[in-house]
Amino acid sequence: MASRRIDTKIKESYSAVKYVQVEGLALMKIAKHCHEECASDVIIAQGALLGLVVEDRLEITNCFAFPKSVDESINDEKYQLDMMKSLRQVNVDHYHVGWYQSSDVGNFLSLPLLESQFHYQTSIEESVVLIFDAPKTNRGFLSLSAYRLTPQALTMFKENDFLPDTLKSLKVGYDHLLVKVPVVIKNSTLTNILLSELSFKIKVEEGSEHLDIGTATVLEGQLRHLMDRVDDLNQEAIKFNRYQQAVVRQSTEKHRYLQKRALENQARAAKDEPPLPEEDITKIFRALPVPPRLPPMLMATQVDAYAEEIAKFSTQSLAKLYMTKAMNTNN
């Protein structure tokens, strides 16, 4: 149990960053890259975040995209080092502080993402992963979230043990894998002045876009993803139930075997015969492999994320629907 205690150093690094400050330039580059890649055949867009740590905030001032995985001629590590070296030569922040990835609501929650973030946080203590939801942003709702692994999740990946007993001892649940870090978007004063001038020049329709209830396609997609994840989670539950039934069946067979040997030894003792030779019971009844609990835990996290987004969209859509109905009645 001592090896499964959360390291105090992990706790200190975990609480080092209170919020993430993203420059407008870095956000625009992330949005451009994610929109371009999502429009092509590439499912996920990824890149590196550059910046620095100031007191209790992580400032992200620049970024660059990772090379496409289909291009095998490029060495990823060499490419990143060359990019940071080039940025340093032009006096741009070149310190690696994390990475970003595109997503569609909760589909970013996967084992590769957790493993990548584990390697980042073990090498760069303050690193974060920024998740940019391109489909939701296309609908007019900017979606940018920052995540870090919890101390329990860091200890779990450090031990590389995902069995139920380990997760129980570390108190790791589907809601204790990632922690959401507040994100603040910062623009320069000149950029704010430009945006203010543009807001006066752009003609806005008479409030119709605020009552747009055309979110049916978004809700439909999220409900489909939610049903898929619930089905997958149900299959994992069926597998675990089968494992429990197999354990009970094996325990019953072991008990019958031991009773049979005890009766045979009693009969042999009554005949003044030597008892049966000792046998290793573990070789006869081998321990059944315990199914890993991390995949169903990730599925439960995805279900929770989809349900939360559906609740938000439903609340907004119902409010707009009632407002539109009231306006039509008055007219």
Side-chain angles (χ1 to χ4, degrees):
M1 291 298 293
S3 62
R4 292 178 180 174
R5 292 177 182 173
I6 299 173
D7 193 357
T8 55
K9 186 177 180 181
I10 293 177
K11 283 187 175 180
E12 292 176 359
S13 64
Y14 169 78
S15 59
V17 176
K18 300 297 183 183
Y19 67 97
V20 178
Q21 179 178 293
V22 184
E23 294 286 341
L25 172 63
L27 176 58
M28 294 300 294
K29 292 176 71 173
I30 292 173
K32 182 176 181 293
H33 178 218
C34 292
H35 284 304
E36 288 177 350
E37 296 297 339
C38 291
S40 62
D41 295 334
V42 180
I43 300 176
I44 296 176
Q46 294 178 334
L49 300 174
L50 307 176
L52 65 161
V53 179
V54 180
E55 296 178 352
D56 60 347
R57 71 177 181 272
L58 178 65
E59 295 185 3
I60 299 174
T61 57
N62 213 322
C63 64
F64 62 86
F66 290 153
K68 296 181 180 180
S69 58
V70 294
D71 192 352
E72 298 179 354
S73 61
I74 300 178
N75 188 328
D76 292 347
E77 186 175 354
K78 184 177 183 302
Y79 172 81
Q80 294 182 37
L81 292 175
D82 292 342
M83 283 293 297
M84 289 188 285
K85 182 178 179 181
S86 301
L87 291 171
R88 181 176 56 188
Q89 291 175 351
V90 295
N91 200 23
V92 175
D93 290 334
H94 59 280
Y95 294 108
H96 205 165
V97 294
W99 59 299
Y100 68 86
Q101 177 177 307
S102 63
S103 76
D104 185 1
V105 190
N107 67 349
F108 70 93
L109 293 163
S110 60
L111 183 57
L113 180 134
L114 296 179
E115 291 176 344
S116 298
Q117 184 58 23
F118 168 72
H119 292 305
Y120 267 94
Q121 280 189 228
T122 50
S123 58
I124 309 170
E125 293 181 354
E126 300 84 3
S127 63
V128 299
V129 53
L130 283 183
I131 302 299
F132 183 82
D133 193 338
K136 187 176 179 180
T137 304
N138 285 336
R139 287 285 177 179
F141 302 93
L142 178 61
S143 178
L144 183 70
S145 305
Y147 293 95
R148 285 170 55 82
L149 286 176
T150 61
Q152 296 93 331
L154 284 173
T155 306
M156 178 183 67
F157 278 99
K158 185 178 180 181
E159 295 182 359
N160 196 25
D161 187 0
F162 309 114
L163 296 178
D165 293 338
T166 305
L167 301 183
K168 184 178 179 180
S169 63
L170 292 174
K171 298 181 180 180
V172 179
Y174 74 92
D175 53 346
H176 290 90
L177 290 175
L178 293 170
V179 61
K180 198 171 184 179
V181 185
V183 177
V184 177
I185 300 174
K186 181 184 178 183
N187 290 318
S188 63
T189 305
L190 292 176
T191 303
N192 291 329
I193 294 173
L194 176 62
L195 291 174
S196 299
E197 292 180 355
L198 291 176
S199 63
F200 289 107
K201 294 181 181 179
I202 297 176
K203 294 182 179 180
V204 182
E205 298 178 4
E206 297 180 358
S208 60
E209 73 281 357
H210 299 295
L211 298 178
D212 180 22
I213 56 176
T215 57
T217 55
V218 178
L219 286 174
E220 182 181 356
Q222 292 178 356
L223 285 171
R224 289 184 182 277
H225 289 307
L226 178 61
M227 288 189 293
D228 291 340
R229 294 289 79 78
V230 170
D231 290 340
D232 295 339
L233 191 60
N234 184 45
Q235 293 299 322
E236 291 293 331
I238 292 174
K239 292 179 183 178
F240 191 73
N241 289 334
R242 289 175 179 171
Y243 162 75
Q244 289 182 318
Q245 293 172 1
V247 169
V248 172
R249 192 182 308 114
Q250 187 185 67
S251 177
T252 304
E253 292 176 356
K254 181 193 284 188
H255 182 67
R256 289 176 180 173
Y257 178 79
L258 292 176
Q259 279 187 335
K260 182 179 178 181
R261 281 182 59 87
L263 292 174
E264 289 182 359
N265 285 331
Q266 290 178 3
R268 293 173 70 91
K271 298 178 183 179
D272 294 331
E273 296 179 357
L276 294 173
E278 293 291 335
E279 294 181 353
D280 190 357
I281 196 68
T282 57
K283 292 183 179 180
I284 302 175
F285 299 95
R286 297 186 180 276
L288 298 174
V290 182
R293 303 307 299 157
L294 188 58
M297 189 184 300
L298 289 174
M299 295 174 190
T301 309
Q302 292 176 350
V303 169
D304 182 66
Y306 282 122
E308 184 179 353
E309 288 297 323
I310 290 172
K312 290 180 181 178
F313 261 81
S314 300
T315 303
Q316 294 172 356
S317 299
L318 286 174
K320 293 176 182 178
L321 182 62
Y322 282 119
M323 292 176 66
T324 306
K325 182 180 180 181
M327 292 176 63
N328 292 334
T329 304
N330 293 332
N331 293 334

